[in-house]
Amino acid sequence: MLLLCGLGGCATLTGNTEQMVLVQTIQDNRELAGAGCILSNDVGKWFVTTPGRITIRKSQEPLKVDCKKHGSPAIALDGSIDPKLNGSVWGNVILTLGVGYFVDRNTGAGFDYPSVLTFVMQDPARLAPPPAPISAPAPTPAAAVPETVVQPKVAPSPLPNPVVY
Protein backbone atom coordinates (compact mmCIF):
# COMPACT_ATOMS: atom_id res chain seq x y z
CA MET A 1 0.00 0.00 0.00
CA LEU A 2 2.86 2.35 0.84
CA LEU A 3 4.42 1.60 -2.54
CA LEU A 4 1.17 2.49 -4.34
CA CYS A 5 0.94 5.79 -2.47
CA GLY A 6 4.51 6.58 -3.48
CA LEU A 7 3.76 5.78 -7.10
CA GLY A 8 0.73 8.08 -6.96
CA GLY A 9 3.07 11.01 -6.46
CA CYS A 10 4.78 10.13 -9.74
CA ALA A 11 1.57 10.60 -11.64
CA THR A 12 2.13 14.31 -12.03
CA LEU A 13 5.69 13.80 -13.31
CA THR A 14 4.39 13.03 -16.80
CA GLY A 15 1.82 15.82 -16.76
CA ASN A 16 2.16 19.47 -15.84
CA THR A 17 -0.37 21.38 -13.75
CA GLU A 18 0.18 24.55 -15.81
CA GLN A 19 -0.45 25.22 -19.48
CA MET A 20 0.40 28.10 -21.80
CA VAL A 21 -2.47 29.19 -24.07
CA LEU A 22 -2.79 31.77 -26.83
CA VAL A 23 -5.93 33.89 -26.53
CA GLN A 24 -7.29 35.55 -29.68
CA THR A 25 -10.45 37.52 -30.42
CA ILE A 26 -12.08 38.04 -33.81
CA GLN A 27 -14.91 40.25 -34.98
CA ASP A 28 -16.44 40.28 -38.47
CA ASN A 29 -13.91 37.64 -39.64
CA ARG A 30 -10.91 39.80 -38.64
CA GLU A 31 -8.61 39.71 -35.65
CA LEU A 32 -9.65 42.14 -32.96
CA ALA A 33 -6.56 43.27 -31.06
CA GLY A 34 -6.66 44.92 -27.66
CA ALA A 35 -9.60 43.09 -26.10
CA GLY A 36 -9.20 42.42 -22.38
CA CYS A 37 -10.04 38.88 -21.32
CA ILE A 38 -10.50 37.33 -17.91
CA LEU A 39 -9.97 33.57 -17.80
CA SER A 40 -10.99 31.68 -14.67
CA ASN A 41 -11.60 28.19 -13.34
CA ASP A 42 -11.87 26.70 -9.87
CA VAL A 43 -8.14 27.16 -9.16
CA GLY A 44 -7.49 30.71 -10.33
CA LYS A 45 -8.13 33.81 -12.40
CA TRP A 46 -5.91 35.27 -15.13
CA PHE A 47 -5.97 38.48 -17.19
CA VAL A 48 -4.70 38.87 -20.76
CA THR A 49 -4.95 41.41 -23.60
CA THR A 50 -5.51 39.85 -27.01
CA PRO A 51 -3.69 38.54 -28.86
CA GLY A 52 -1.62 37.25 -26.00
CA ARG A 53 -0.11 34.18 -24.40
CA ILE A 54 -0.72 33.36 -20.77
CA THR A 55 0.10 30.49 -18.43
CA ILE A 56 -2.91 29.12 -16.57
CA ARG A 57 -3.43 26.35 -14.00
CA LYS A 58 -5.15 23.31 -15.43
CA SER A 59 -8.28 21.86 -13.87
CA GLN A 60 -10.99 19.35 -14.59
CA GLU A 61 -13.48 22.24 -14.48
CA PRO A 62 -14.35 24.38 -17.54
CA LEU A 63 -12.33 27.52 -18.21
CA LYS A 64 -14.71 30.49 -18.11
CA VAL A 65 -13.86 33.42 -20.36
CA ASP A 66 -15.11 37.00 -20.37
CA CYS A 67 -13.71 39.30 -23.10
CA LYS A 68 -14.51 42.96 -23.76
CA LYS A 69 -12.89 45.69 -25.81
CA HIS A 70 -12.62 49.14 -24.21
CA GLY A 71 -14.62 51.72 -26.18
CA SER A 72 -16.52 49.03 -28.07
CA PRO A 73 -19.76 47.27 -27.23
CA ALA A 74 -18.33 43.96 -28.50
CA ILE A 75 -18.31 41.03 -26.09
CA ALA A 76 -17.28 37.38 -26.39
CA LEU A 77 -20.14 34.99 -27.03
CA ASP A 78 -18.91 31.54 -26.01
CA GLY A 79 -18.04 31.76 -22.38
CA SER A 80 -16.47 28.45 -21.35
CA ILE A 81 -13.99 25.88 -22.62
CA ASP A 82 -14.19 22.27 -21.44
CA PRO A 83 -10.90 20.47 -20.68
CA LYS A 84 -10.03 17.17 -22.35
CA LEU A 85 -8.20 14.21 -20.83
CA ASN A 86 -4.60 14.15 -22.02
CA GLY A 87 -2.49 11.11 -22.92
CA SER A 88 -0.49 11.07 -19.70
CA VAL A 89 -3.55 10.00 -17.72
CA TRP A 90 -3.71 6.59 -19.35
CA GLY A 91 -0.01 5.95 -18.78
CA ASN A 92 -0.41 6.94 -15.14
CA VAL A 93 -3.43 4.66 -14.76
CA ILE A 94 -1.41 1.70 -16.03
CA LEU A 95 1.81 2.47 -14.16
CA THR A 96 0.17 3.29 -10.83
CA LEU A 97 -2.70 0.81 -10.99
CA GLY A 98 -5.25 3.62 -11.08
CA VAL A 99 -3.90 5.81 -8.28
CA GLY A 100 -2.36 8.23 -10.77
CA TYR A 101 -5.75 8.96 -12.30
CA PHE A 102 -7.06 10.34 -9.01
CA VAL A 103 -3.94 12.44 -8.47
CA ASP A 104 -4.06 13.83 -12.03
CA ARG A 105 -7.78 14.53 -11.72
CA ASN A 106 -7.38 16.43 -8.47
CA THR A 107 -4.31 18.43 -9.56
CA GLY A 108 -5.55 19.09 -13.11
CA ALA A 109 -2.41 17.53 -14.61
CA GLY A 110 -4.50 14.96 -16.47
CA PHE A 111 -6.45 17.58 -18.42
CA ASP A 112 -5.60 20.05 -21.16
CA TYR A 113 -7.39 23.05 -22.56
CA PRO A 114 -6.95 23.84 -26.26
CA SER A 115 -3.60 25.58 -26.83
CA VAL A 116 -5.24 28.31 -28.94
CA LEU A 117 -8.43 29.92 -27.62
CA THR A 118 -10.24 32.00 -30.25
CA PHE A 119 -13.34 33.91 -29.24
CA VAL A 120 -15.85 35.53 -31.57
CA MET A 121 -16.77 39.05 -30.46
CA GLN A 122 -20.25 40.36 -31.25
CA ASP A 123 -22.11 43.58 -30.66
CA PRO A 124 -24.98 42.72 -28.26
CA ALA A 125 -27.26 45.21 -30.06
CA ARG A 126 -27.01 43.10 -33.21
CA LEU A 127 -27.95 39.96 -31.33
CA ALA A 128 -31.20 41.33 -29.91
CA PRO A 129 -34.26 40.11 -31.81
CA PRO A 130 -36.20 42.83 -33.65
CA PRO A 131 -39.15 44.19 -31.69
CA ALA A 132 -42.44 42.49 -32.42
CA PRO A 133 -44.83 44.62 -34.46
CA ILE A 134 -47.61 46.16 -32.46
CA SER A 135 -50.97 45.09 -33.81
CA ALA A 136 -54.35 46.58 -33.08
CA PRO A 137 -56.58 44.38 -30.97
CA ALA A 138 -59.13 42.40 -32.91
CA PRO A 139 -62.64 43.88 -32.64
CA THR A 140 -64.98 41.84 -30.54
CA PRO A 141 -68.15 40.84 -32.41
CA ALA A 142 -71.37 42.17 -30.89
CA ALA A 143 -73.25 39.02 -31.66
CA ALA A 144 -71.85 35.90 -33.16
CA VAL A 145 -73.89 35.37 -36.29
CA PRO A 146 -72.84 32.55 -38.57
CA GLU A 147 -72.11 33.82 -42.03
CA THR A 148 -72.46 31.87 -45.23
CA VAL A 149 -69.78 32.59 -47.75
CA VAL A 150 -70.83 32.11 -51.37
CA GLN A 151 -68.11 31.69 -53.94
CA PRO A 152 -69.10 32.88 -57.41
CA LYS A 153 -68.79 30.25 -60.11
CA VAL A 154 -66.43 31.24 -62.84
CA ALA A 155 -66.62 29.54 -66.21
CA PRO A 156 -63.29 28.24 -67.37
CA SER A 157 -61.82 30.39 -70.10
CA PRO A 158 -61.26 28.70 -73.44
CA LEU A 159 -57.70 28.03 -74.48
CA PRO A 160 -56.45 30.55 -77.00
CA ASN A 161 -55.78 29.44 -80.56
CA PRO A 162 -52.22 28.45 -81.14
CA VAL A 163 -50.19 31.00 -83.01
CA VAL A 164 -48.47 29.71 -86.11
CA TYR A 165 -45.48 31.57 -87.50
Side-chain angles (χ1 to χ4, degrees):
M1 185 66 173
L2 186 60
L3 179 64
L4 284 177
C5 290
L7 286 175
C10 297
T12 57
L13 291 178
T14 59
N16 194 354
T17 59
E18 294 183 341
Q19 177 183 355
M20 183 175 283
V21 295
L22 171 65
V23 182
Q24 302 173 344
T25 50
I26 59 172
Q27 183 177 15
D28 298 328
N29 296 326
R30 287 177 280 167
E31 184 176 34
L32 178 67
C37 295
I38 301 171
L39 289 72
S40 63
N41 59 19
D42 62 330
V43 292
K45 185 182 278 191
W46 304 270
F47 304 92
V48 65
T49 301
T50 64
R53 291 193 180 276
I54 189 163
T55 301
I56 60 173
R57 284 265 329 260
K58 297 192 286 185
S59 169
Q60 66 180 355
E61 296 297 319
L63 183 67
K64 294 176 186 69
V65 180
D66 181 26
C67 294
K68 293 180 183 165
K69 172 126 172 132
H70 181 70
S72 170
I75 59 170
L77 291 180
D78 34 14
S80 70
I81 305 293
D82 290 326
K84 304 285 186 231
L85 282 174
N86 60 29
S88 68
V89 169
W90 303 116
N92 289 335
V93 167
I94 293 169
L95 291 174
T96 63
L97 302 174
V99 175
Y101 171 76
F102 296 106
V103 173
D104 281 355
R105 187 185 68 179
N106 291 333
T107 64
F111 297 89
D112 285 328
Y113 296 108
S115 59
V116 178
L117 305 175
T118 303
F119 299 99
V120 177
M121 304 288 281
Q122 290 287 334
D123 184 352
R126 282 203 237 165
L127 299 176
I134 300 173
S135 60
T140 57
V145 178
E147 293 183 20
T148 306
V149 178
V150 179
Q151 295 289 334
K153 292 189 178 184
V154 179
S157 62
L159 291 175
N161 292 333
V163 178
V164 179
Y165 292 98

